[in-house]
């Protein structure tokens, strides 16, 4: 069974940084795309960033480009999200996800809360 567990969330002031981590098990993560999504109260789930398994290429949602960086460590079955220059609108629950591309994202973690104050 695939399991994903996020960590690293917290509260910061605008302009600050956080680094999220996601530990996975139950899948050969070296052959799976990994990603981050977020969901703010009363809003739908928004794609944040992804990283492909075959070439390690990252891809980002428009709202986080040039501020967030996704990376992965396949030996540790982990994916990271470095978030810089955080803004209050980045406040949300951040969820880790995985997929066997080209299939849709099919496994999700429970999420970690990120709160950015102005």
């Amino acid at each position: 069974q695939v399991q994903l567990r996020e960590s690293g969330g917290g509260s910061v002031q605008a302009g600050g940084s956080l680094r999220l981590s996601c530990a996975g098990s139950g899948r050969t993560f070296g052959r799976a795309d990994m990603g981050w999504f977020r969901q703010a109260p009363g809003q739908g789930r928004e794609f944040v960033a992804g990283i492909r398994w075959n070439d390690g290429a990252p891809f980002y949602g428009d709202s986080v480009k040039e501020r967030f960086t996704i990376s992965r460590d396949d030996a540790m079955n982990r994916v990271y999200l470095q978030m810089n220059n955080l803004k209050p609108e980045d406040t949300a629950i951040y969820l880790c996800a995985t997929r066997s591309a080209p299939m849709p994202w099919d496994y999700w973690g429970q999420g970690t809360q990120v709160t950015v104050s102005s």
Side-chain angles (χ1 to χ4, degrees):
Q1 183 175 352
V2 177
Q3 292 186 329
L4 300 170
R5 181 171 297 180
E6 304 91 340
S7 60
S11 297
V12 295
Q13 290 190 327
S17 298
L18 282 173
R19 187 186 192 220
L20 304 184
S21 177
C22 172
S25 63
R27 166 172 275 181
T28 305
F29 285 95
R31 298 183 66 81
D33 290 356
M34 300 297 296
W36 289 94
F37 290 73
R38 67 187 182 187
Q39 187 160 16
Q43 299 190 22
R45 192 168 290 178
E46 177 189 8
F47 171 75
V48 174
I51 187 164
R52 296 187 177 93
W53 71 270
N54 52 349
D55 59 4
F59 47 105
Y60 299 96
D62 289 341
S63 62
V64 306
K65 285 180 180 177
E66 299 182 6
R67 297 190 298 124
F68 291 11
T69 302
I70 188 171
S71 60
R72 62 190 295 162
D73 183 341
D74 290 338
M76 298 294 292
N77 279 353
R78 286 184 176 268
V79 62
Y80 304 97
L81 185 68
Q82 177 67 43
M83 306 186 294
N84 297 329
N85 191 22
L86 283 160
K87 304 176 181 180
E89 51 264 42
D90 294 319
T91 295
I93 296 173
Y94 283 70
L95 305 104
C96 180
T98 183
R99 70 180 181 185
S100 295
M103 302 302 289
W105 302 96
D106 55 353
Y107 289 98
W108 304 82
Q110 293 294 314
T112 185
Q113 177 70 46
V114 172
T115 302
V116 185
S117 57
S118 58

